Amino acid sequence: MKCKFLICAVAFFLCQQLAWGNFKVDVCIYGGSSAGVIAAYTAKKAGRSVLLIEPGKHLGGLSSGGLGYTDIGNKYAIRGLSLEFYRQIGQHYGKFEQWIFEPHVAESLFTDYVNRAKVEVLYQHRLLSARKENGAITEIQLDAGGATVTVSAKMFIDCTYEGDLMAKAGVSYTVGREGNDMYNETWNGVQMLDGHQIPDGVDPYKTPGDPSSGLLWGISPAPLAQKGSGDKLVQAYNYRICLTRDPANMVPITEPDNYDINRYELLARLFKAQPNRTTLNDYLIVSGMPNNKTDINNRNGFSTDMIGANHDYPEADYATRAKIIKAHEDYTKGLLYFFATDPRVPAPLQKEMRKWGYPKDEYTDNGHWSPQLYVREARRMVGAYVMTQANCVGEEVVTDGVGMAAYTMDSHNTQRIVIRKNGKDMVKNEGNVEVGGFPPYPVSYRALIPKAGECSNLLVPVCLSASHIAYGSIRMEPVFMALAQATAVAADLAIANGTSVQEVDAAKVAGILTSNPLADGRLGDVLLDNATANPELAGDWKTEKGKGAYGTDMLTAEKNAKAIFRPAIGKTGRYAIYMYYPRLKNNAAVTHVKVVSGKKQQLVPVKAEDVKVVGQTSGEWVKLGTFKLKKGTGSYVEISAGETGEGLVVADALLWVPEKR
C-alpha cells in the first residue's frame, strides 16, 4: 500500500510539473521592469498570447523601486502608454499628469496594467539558458526555486536592466566605455571632469601622507588612463532612497548589517575640506515626493553612489550579483546611519538627517527598503545600428525612429583613484559626464534588434544598441517604456507576417504607435506643437530654442502678437484643452487665451502665479477648460500678447484630450 501510494504521489507530482512547468506563447517578455509591463500589455492588447517573467517579486523595476523623481529631459519625447502611465499617476494625485510619485503607487499601476490585460506573470523565475535553432530562440529554461520551467515562444523581448536573455541568446554586446575614436565621439571613455568631484588636496591614504599605510576604503590603485580611452568599467550604481519625515509612518534608521565606519573615513575628511557644506542637500539630492517622502539620489564627491563596487555586476552569476546588491544596501544604509550618528558630521546636517526614517507603507515585504538596485548600465547590445553621440546632438538623425529620447548625455562616476597634482597625491573621482542642451531626437528601430543572422526573434528595448555616452541619454524610464511599446508592436507585426524582427518595417511600427497610441484602439490626443503645427501668426513672434520649450523650440512675444492653433478634430465630442506653459524668468503676469468653437468663444486668462511646476521639468500643462467640439478644423485656440509688454507670452504647444476615449 505504501509503495502504491508513493507511485501515485510521484505520478501526480509529474503531471503537475507537466501542467504548469511548460509554457507556449506568442510573445515572451523576460523582465518585469516598467518596460516589461508595457511590452506585455501592448502585445496582449494586440491579441497575442503573452507571458511576462519577473526574476524578482515586484513589477515596475526602478519606477516602483524608488525612482519617483522622473528623469524626463523633454516631455515632447514621451508618448503612448508611457505618457499614459504618468497621466494615471496624475489622476491618483488629483492632477492631469504628474512625474513624481511614491513607489507603492507606481507598483499598483503596473500591477493594474497586467491585470487589465489579463497577462500571465511568473514571479521569482530566473533565466537558466536559451535554446536556438536556425538563428531563432525556440525556448528558454527558467529556474523556479529548484524546478525547471520551459517557455517556448514565437517572439522574445528582453526587458531586463542586465540584458540576460540577450546574452544567453548569443547576441553581440559590450560592457563598459568605448574609446572616443570608436564612434568619433568626444564624451565617451575616460573623463575626469568637475561634476560630483572631490576637491583638491584630500589625502587618499589611511595615514595622511603615508602611501605605505594603504588607501582608504573605496579608492582604487588603478592609474588614470588617457582621456577618452575605452575600458570595461561601469558607471556607479546606487539606491534611489525613499524616506519619510512623518513620525506616524516612520521606521527609525538604525545600525545596518555589516556596518563599517571605515567606509566613511573619506567622507569625514570631506567635511574638513569643505567646511561650508553643512546641510543634507550638500551631500544628497533630496527630492520631495508626495506625502512627506523622498527620492534621494547621489550628489557631489561622496554620496549614495558606491563607486567602483559594481564592475563585475553586468556579467556576474546570480550569487555574485546578490553579494554586490547586498554590499550596496549595506553601504547605503550605513551612509544614512553615519550621517545620523557620527560626531564628525556637521551639526546642521545631522539634525536634518535625524528627522527622516524609512516609510512603514513602502516595501512592506522587504524591510521598508527598495528591492531594486539602480542598475544604470550593464550590458549594451551591439545591434543592427549603434546610437552614438552624433544622434544625441542631432548631427546624425535616423529615419527609422520608433521612439524619442531627450535627456542629457549623462554618466555617473566609474572609479575613485589617486592622482598627483602640484607635487601631492590626492583622491579624485573619474567618469562623471553631464552634457546637454540638445532637443529630443529619434531612436532607431535597428538599435532595438540584433544584427541579421544573430537572432531573428529577439527585441531589446532596455539594453539597446548604443555607445556608453549615448546610452546615458537614452536610459530613462519613460523612454524604456516607449521603446518597449514599439518592440511589442514590432513583435506583433513579425508574427502576423511570418518574418524576422529584422524584416519588420519600422515605418509601420511608427504608424501604429501614432494611430493606436494606447494600444487598445482608444481615441488619442490631438497635439499641436508650434514647430510642426504651422500656427497662424500675427505680430512680432520670436523663435526660442531650448530654454524649457516643449519640443525643439517655442514662440515668444512681448506685445501686439497673436498665434492661432487649429486642431483637426477626428470625432465630435467633448475635449479638455491644455496649453503648455514653460516657466521662464520673465513670464507675462497674464497670458490671454481665447478658445473658439463655431460661434462660441471663451476668454481664459492664464496667470503666471497660478502655474506650479513640479518635478524635473521646465513647464506644466495648464487646463483651459472642457469644450464640445465638432469634427474638422472649425475650432481653434488663440494666444495673444497685449499692448503693455510686461513679460514674455509663450505660444508653444496645445493639447486636446477627448473626454471619452
Side-chain angles (χ1 to χ4, degrees):
M1 286 294 292
K2 288 184 178 179
C3 183
K4 187 180 290 186
F5 175 80
L6 182 60
I7 292 172
C8 291
V10 171
F12 177 79
F13 175 77
L14 290 175
C15 287
Q16 287 295 100
Q17 283 285 94
L18 290 172
W20 67 263
N22 298 284
F23 295 85
K24 186 176 182 179
V25 294
D26 292 328
V27 182
C28 173
I29 294 105
Y30 186 65
S33 61
S34 59
V37 170
I38 295 303
Y41 180 88
T42 304
K44 192 66 187 290
K45 287 298 182 179
R48 301 298 172 187
S49 58
V50 176
L51 182 65
L52 175 60
I53 303 162
E54 166 49 35
K57 300 179 182 179
H58 299 272
L59 295 178
L62 286 162
S63 287
S64 62
L67 205 166
Y69 193 67
T70 309
D71 299 307
I72 308 168
N74 192 309
K75 290 179 181 178
Y76 180 83
I78 312 306
R79 309 287 176 90
L81 290 171
S82 179
L83 179 57
E84 188 198 40
F85 171 77
Y86 297 101
R87 297 267 175 88
Q88 291 186 349
I89 290 286
Q91 289 174 22
H92 177 86
Y93 292 112
K95 292 183 63 178
F96 172 52
E97 68 182 37
Q98 182 157 307
W99 303 77
I100 65 170
F101 47 85
E102 299 158 272
H104 76 272
V105 173
E107 185 170 5
S108 69
L109 288 178
F110 287 121
T111 302
D112 184 60
Y113 270 106
V114 298
N115 289 342
R116 280 189 284 131
K118 298 180 180 179
V119 172
E120 186 167 5
V121 184
L122 297 182
Y123 292 96
Q124 294 181 277
H125 283 59
R126 300 195 301 194
L127 183 66
L128 291 173
S129 62
R131 183 176 298 168
K132 287 171 66 180
E133 292 180 9
N134 300 319
I137 303 170
T138 56
E139 63 182 33
I140 61 174
Q141 289 75 43
L142 308 166
D143 173 23
T148 299
V149 174
T150 300
V151 180
S152 60
K154 297 174 183 176
M155 291 286 151
F156 292 84
I157 305 176
D158 186 343
C159 288
T160 63
Y161 295 112
E162 296 84 2
D164 285 341
L165 177 54
M166 171 186 72
K168 293 289 187 184
V171 171
S172 298
Y173 68 86
T174 189
V175 174
R177 304 179 287 185
E178 299 90 350
N180 273 328
D181 56 352
M182 179 173 283
Y183 297 118
N184 194 29
E185 297 175 305
T186 56
W187 294 110
N188 209 335
V190 172
Q191 301 284 342
M192 183 172 284
L193 305 175
D194 295 331
H196 300 284
Q197 190 54 274
I198 293 174
D200 286 354
V202 177
D203 194 286
Y205 302 116
K206 292 179 181 178
T207 301
D210 182 6
S212 67
S213 66
L215 294 167
L216 293 176
W217 179 91
I219 301 176
S220 167
L224 177 63
Q226 182 179 352
K227 181 178 180 180
S229 60
D231 55 33
K232 295 299 181 183
L233 304 186
V234 181
Q235 62 174 308
Y237 300 166
N238 72 342
Y239 280 94
R240 299 296 286 259
I241 309 168
C242 183
L243 299 179
T244 181
R245 57 184 173 189
D246 178 1
N249 190 36
M250 186 185 297
V251 176
I253 294 172
T254 56
E255 182 175 325
D257 295 343
N258 309 309
Y259 181 66
D260 183 355
I261 201 169
N262 293 316
R263 293 174 182 160
Y264 313 103
E265 176 61 33
L266 177 58
L267 177 58
R269 292 185 186 182
L270 277 181
F271 295 148
K272 292 183 178 180
Q274 41 196 27
N276 293 330
R277 292 185 173 180
T278 61
T279 70
L280 197 60
N281 269 300
D282 286 325
Y283 292 89
L284 304 172
I285 297 176
V286 183
S287 300
M289 295 296 106
N291 296 315
N292 292 311
K293 293 178 185 172
T294 67
D295 170 2
I296 293 177
N297 198 7
N298 183 83
R299 168 165 279 163
N300 292 327
F302 193 109
S303 186
T304 60
D305 279 0
M306 194 178 182
I307 298 172
N310 62 335
H311 293 165
D312 293 334
Y313 182 90
E315 298 182 289
D317 59 26
Y318 295 126
T320 303
R321 282 185 184 168
K323 292 178 181 177
I324 294 171
I325 291 169
K326 176 60 173 170
H328 278 75
E329 179 180 338
D330 290 347
Y331 164 77
T332 311
K333 288 181 174 178
L335 177 67
L336 301 178
Y337 181 72
F338 179 86
F339 279 142
T341 62
D342 195 276
R344 294 170 292 179
V345 175
L349 191 162
Q350 194 159 85
K351 184 178 179 180
E352 287 181 79
M353 187 72 251
R354 289 176 177 176
K355 295 177 181 178
W356 296 95
Y358 304 118
K360 290 180 181 178
D361 61 345
E362 300 290 354
Y363 318 124
T364 55
D365 64 347
N366 199 53
H368 312 289
W369 184 259
S370 173
Q372 179 63 63
L373 179 66
Y374 192 171
V375 179
R376 288 190 170 90
E377 184 176 6
R379 298 182 180 100
R380 301 188 310 280
M381 180 169 63
V382 181
Y385 180 86
V386 179
M387 298 289 292
T388 69
Q389 177 180 322
N391 298 114
C392 299
V393 301
E395 293 175 357
E396 184 175 326
V397 181
V398 300
T399 58
D400 62 340
V402 291
M404 287 184 287
Y407 201 74
T408 295
M409 291 185 291
D410 177 83
S411 172
H412 283 235
N413 283 303
T414 62
Q415 58 181 334
R416 181 172 285 145
I417 60 176
V418 178
I419 69 165
R420 192 161 184 84
K421 184 177 179 180
N422 299 327
K424 183 178 180 181
D425 288 349
M426 60 189 70
V427 58
K428 288 290 181 180
N429 295 334
E430 185 278 312
N432 187 84
V433 178
E434 297 168 87
V435 178
F438 43 81
Y441 58 91
V443 177
S444 170
Y445 172 69
R446 290 167 292 154
L448 311 180
I449 58 174
K451 299 173 184 175
E454 287 197 346
C455 192
S456 61
N457 64 339
L458 175 67
L459 299 113
V460 186
V462 177
C463 293
L464 70 151
S465 181
S467 72
H468 159 70
I469 200 60
Y471 190 81
S473 171
I474 299 168
R475 61 168 184 86
M476 305 303 155
E477 289 286 288
V479 177
F480 284 157
M481 285 191 268
L483 297 179
Q485 183 176 357
T487 58
V489 170
D492 174 58
L493 289 174
I495 294 171
N497 298 320
T499 68
S500 68
V501 295
Q502 288 82 10
E503 295 172 290
V504 169
D505 185 350
K508 288 186 178 180
V509 175
I512 291 171
L513 293 172
T514 299
S515 64
N516 188 18
L518 302 180
D520 58 4
R522 284 179 292 162
L523 189 64
D525 303 335
V526 179
L527 170 68
L528 294 184
D529 174 62
N530 70 284
T532 57
N534 296 316
E536 301 166 24
L537 302 178
D540 187 19
W541 290 99
K542 295 180 180 179
T543 300
E544 301 273 1
K545 292 186 178 293
K547 299 181 181 179
Y550 183 87
T552 58
D553 56 46
M554 58 187 167
L555 298 172
T556 63
E558 293 186 4
K559 58 182 179 180
N560 297 328
K562 293 181 180 180
I564 294 176
F565 291 77
R566 294 184 184 273
I569 300 298
K571 183 179 179 180
T572 298
R574 292 181 61 79
Y575 290 77
I577 304 178
Y578 294 84
M579 180 184 78
Y580 193 73
Y581 191 100
R583 172 64 71 194
L584 306 176
K585 293 180 180 179
N586 55 338
N587 287 101
V590 179
T591 298
H592 300 282
V593 182
K594 180 166 65 176
V595 179
V596 178
S597 177
K599 295 181 180 180
K600 296 181 179 179
Q601 63 180 23
Q602 181 173 329
L603 298 177
V604 184
V606 177
K607 297 180 180 179
E609 64 183 9
D610 294 337
V611 181
K612 308 299 181 186
V613 177
V614 178
Q616 198 171 171
T617 177
S618 57
E620 289 285 339
W621 289 107
V622 175
K623 188 174 183 179
L624 303 178
T626 301
F627 305 87
K628 185 174 182 179
L629 305 177
K630 292 183 178 180
K631 180 179 179 180
T633 57
S635 63
Y636 64 88
V637 173
E638 178 185 286
I639 300 172
S640 61
E643 298 179 355
T644 58
E646 297 177 359
L648 286 179
V649 169
V650 180
D652 193 351
L654 285 122
L655 189 65
W656 287 257
V657 180
E659 194 172 73
K660 294 183 179 180
R661 295 287 189 179

